[in-house]
Amino acid sequence: MKRGRKTNEANSSSSEDTAGKESKRHKVAEKKTTVVQSPDWANLLQDIILQVFQYLPLLDRAHASQVCRSWNQVFHMPDLWRCFEFELNQPATSNLRTTHPELIKQIIKRHSNHLQYVSFKVVDSSKESAEAACDILSQLVNCSLKTLGLISTARPSFMDLPKSHFISALTVVFVNSKSLSSLKIDDTPVDDPSLKVLVANNSDTLKLLKMSSCPHVSPAGILCVADQCHGLRELALNYHLLSDELLLALSSEKHVRLEHLRIDVVSENPGQTQFHTIQKSSWDAFIKHSPKVNLVMYFFLYEEEFDPFFRYETPVTHLYFGRSVSKDVLGRVGMTCPRLVELVVCANGLRPLDEELICIAERCKFLSAVGLGECEVSCSAFVEFVKMCGGRLSQLSIMEEVLIPDQKYSLEQIHWEVSKHLGRVWFPDMMPTW
């Protein structure tokens, strides 16, 4: 009897243990089932969805907006439409990307008052694409843009339009945007009266103005901007708009310190363009007022047109020669550009630039970037140039083909010598073999 009772008790205890284990298994299974359940995507916080949408390309964002009503509401939130780039071309003649016409209609209808940072990128050279950009501009009557960029990746585009049509569309933005701070309108038919409208409505907020290759603007037009837009910090224009009066206006006590001034010195017709000379006193006043300004100058001149330049000290910091430049001009650069930080020379000719490079190394104490294209230099002079500049040359580019071996250095030896003085491994650039 006792044995039977013990056996029954053991069996009962075993059954209870089994039942307990089964119960635990069910609970664990329930927990696992709860963990793997799919979340309710439609009920995600809109702030989280908004953050996700901000990282998605427009097309992916549009597809995601079709998931549910909540996501579609996020798709139309103002924060997602403050910044937009319209890409325009003619699909019938181009395979490049373009903003779909239906999307443009939707933006104008629902989001024009949300737009703040807008650019129009004409990716072909067609007049039709530029007209489309103007049509969109003219409809932004409810906008309050902070930045506007008109970009032509292929010329002439905007310059092909009737000036009145372009000015009318641009004026809509100038009048309605009372806080425009950045304006990029290179290669456009903007003119003096339209700049006056810009100044009348945005003089307190304009900080950046890029308007190179705008033939309808006069020195008086750009002077009007400098006289009244005292917060202007960055300016890019062609040399024919630069004047002593403009530099003095930018140097007035009312004007903030300019941070970046880019000047394009361009000649389309050799021998027919007359370039004026800026007085040294004007440059001195400008640098005294803005001592840390980056003065960038791009030269696209023929050799006989350089006479007005580099005759006395010029405060240029970044200097680019897009066409061949003579030994004489480069020698004057070394004598007159003590603030030079970067120098790029496309071509020089067949006479080595040994003395000119040594002069630049001696006098340009801030030089840190040099690029030499078709410019012959002896290996000894090049090594001496690098030795004088030392480790401050963070960028150094020259083709191996233009280095002339001499009694002191061969092409094999120059790599080691230059690397030693730079404090890092350096090789000359090689001409591609394909």
Side-chain angles (χ1 to χ4, degrees):
M1 290 294 292
K2 289 182 178 180
R3 279 183 193 168
R5 191 179 298 163
K6 286 181 180 179
T7 302
N8 290 337
E9 288 176 357
N11 289 338
S12 175
S13 176
S14 176
S15 298
E16 289 175 0
D17 289 344
T18 302
K21 290 179 180 178
E22 287 297 325
S23 176
K24 288 180 180 178
R25 286 197 193 105
H26 284 304
K27 289 180 179 178
V28 172
E30 287 176 2
K31 287 182 179 179
K32 289 183 177 178
T33 302
T34 303
V35 170
V36 298
Q37 279 182 346
S38 298
D40 186 354
W41 294 103
N43 291 327
L44 280 176
L45 291 174
Q46 284 194 338
D47 288 346
I48 297 175
I49 303 173
L50 179 62
Q51 291 179 28
V52 173
F53 273 31
Q54 287 174 336
Y55 288 99
L56 292 178
L58 178 62
L59 187 60
D60 293 342
R61 196 188 301 166
H63 289 156
S65 71
Q66 299 175 19
V67 169
C68 60
R69 182 179 299 175
S70 176
W71 285 30
N72 187 263
Q73 290 174 349
V74 174
F75 178 71
H76 290 289
M77 290 180 70
D79 286 353
L80 290 176
W81 297 99
R82 300 196 193 287
C83 179
F84 195 83
E85 180 178 77
F86 293 92
E87 293 185 298
L88 304 169
N89 68 46
Q90 300 305 300
T93 58
S94 173
N95 294 321
L96 299 171
R97 286 183 57 186
T98 185
T99 305
H100 197 280
E102 289 301 320
L103 177 59
I104 293 174
K105 290 181 182 178
Q106 186 178 104
I107 291 172
I108 293 172
K109 181 179 179 181
R110 301 186 61 170
H111 301 293
S112 62
N113 60 326
H114 302 149
L115 294 173
Q116 292 185 6
Y117 311 93
V118 175
S119 62
F120 291 83
K121 188 176 181 181
V122 178
V123 296
D124 59 8
S125 59
S126 70
K127 179 180 177 181
E128 291 78 8
S129 297
E131 285 178 339
C134 287
D135 289 340
I136 298 170
L137 275 174
S138 63
Q139 296 179 68
L140 299 181
V141 293
N142 296 320
C143 71
S144 184
L145 299 187
K146 293 184 177 179
T147 71
L148 173 63
L150 303 182
I151 305 164
S152 299
T153 58
R155 295 183 180 183
S157 61
F158 289 108
M159 291 303 299
D160 267 355
L161 299 177
K163 185 160 76 78
S164 59
H165 178 45
F166 176 83
I167 295 301
S168 175
L170 193 62
T171 301
V172 170
V173 176
F174 288 173
V175 169
N176 290 282
S177 298
K178 304 297 185 182
S179 57
L180 196 62
S181 64
S182 175
L183 181 62
K184 301 177 182 179
I185 47 175
D186 295 336
D187 300 298
T188 64
V190 63
D191 60 6
D192 289 359
S194 58
L195 288 182
K196 289 182 179 179
V197 176
L198 167 70
V199 168
N201 291 276
N202 300 272
S203 62
D204 294 335
T205 58
L206 191 65
K207 295 181 179 179
L208 181 150
L209 178 60
K210 289 185 65 178
M211 47 180 301
S212 295
S213 302
C214 296
H216 301 294
V217 175
S218 72
I222 193 65
L223 181 59
C224 171
V225 175
D227 269 337
Q228 300 187 47
C229 297
H230 299 144
L232 199 64
R233 296 183 182 275
E234 297 186 38
L235 180 62
L237 66 163
N238 282 79
Y239 185 79
H240 78 273
L241 295 178
L242 187 66
S243 64
D244 295 289
E245 292 79 11
L246 175 61
L247 287 176
L248 294 175
L250 295 171
S251 307
S252 68
E253 292 184 3
K254 295 181 295 184
H255 206 287
V256 299
R257 290 181 173 87
L258 207 67
E259 297 172 0
H260 190 93
L261 175 61
R262 169 176 168 161
I263 307 295
D264 291 347
V265 192
V266 182
S267 172
E268 301 292 346
N269 303 306
Q272 298 182 21
T273 306
Q274 297 295 322
F275 292 97
H276 59 285
T277 300
I278 300 296
Q279 299 298 316
K280 184 178 183 301
S281 57
S282 302
W283 283 125
D284 290 343
F286 176 64
I287 291 302
K288 183 178 180 181
H289 181 73
S290 302
K292 296 183 179 180
V293 65
N294 286 319
L295 175 57
V296 183
M297 298 188 75
Y298 283 80
F299 282 86
F300 297 91
L301 302 184
Y302 297 92
E303 289 191 15
E304 62 272 17
E305 296 175 314
F306 275 99
D307 190 63
F309 302 98
F310 309 114
R311 290 298 178 184
Y312 48 78
E313 190 170 302
T314 306
V316 61
T317 56
H318 298 72
L319 189 53
Y320 305 92
F321 293 101
R323 291 178 182 155
S324 180
V325 59
S326 69
K327 282 171 62 71
D328 175 61
V329 171
L330 288 175
R332 297 194 330 242
V333 166
M335 299 295 292
T336 61
C337 302
R339 299 179 76 244
L340 195 62
V341 173
E342 182 174 9
L343 174 66
V344 176
V345 182
C346 174
N348 165 255
L350 300 177
R351 298 170 60 194
L353 295 177
D354 295 3
E355 299 85 358
E356 289 72 22
L357 277 182
I358 299 301
C359 177
I360 289 172
E362 286 177 343
R363 295 178 172 271
C364 303
K365 301 298 184 181
F366 304 103
L367 190 66
S368 62
V370 175
L372 302 175
E374 298 177 16
C375 306
E376 292 193 348
V377 184
S378 72
C379 287
S380 293
F382 187 69
V383 170
E384 183 63 22
F385 167 77
V386 175
K387 181 180 179 180
M388 294 173 69
C389 292
R392 75 169 187 267
L393 279 177
S394 59
Q395 298 180 45
L396 179 62
S397 174
I398 187 171
M399 299 298 296
E400 185 181 63
E401 288 75 13
V402 302
L403 288 168
I404 306 171
D406 50 34
Q407 293 180 350
K408 197 169 183 180
Y409 297 105
S410 66
L411 289 176
E412 291 74 21
Q413 294 170 316
I414 195 172
H415 147 62
W416 298 105
E417 282 296 317
V418 172
S419 297
K420 179 177 70 177
H421 295 301
L422 288 178
R424 65 181 187 276
V425 177
W426 177 88
F427 289 96
D429 298 333
M430 303 290 291
M431 188 72 72
T433 55
W434 59 84

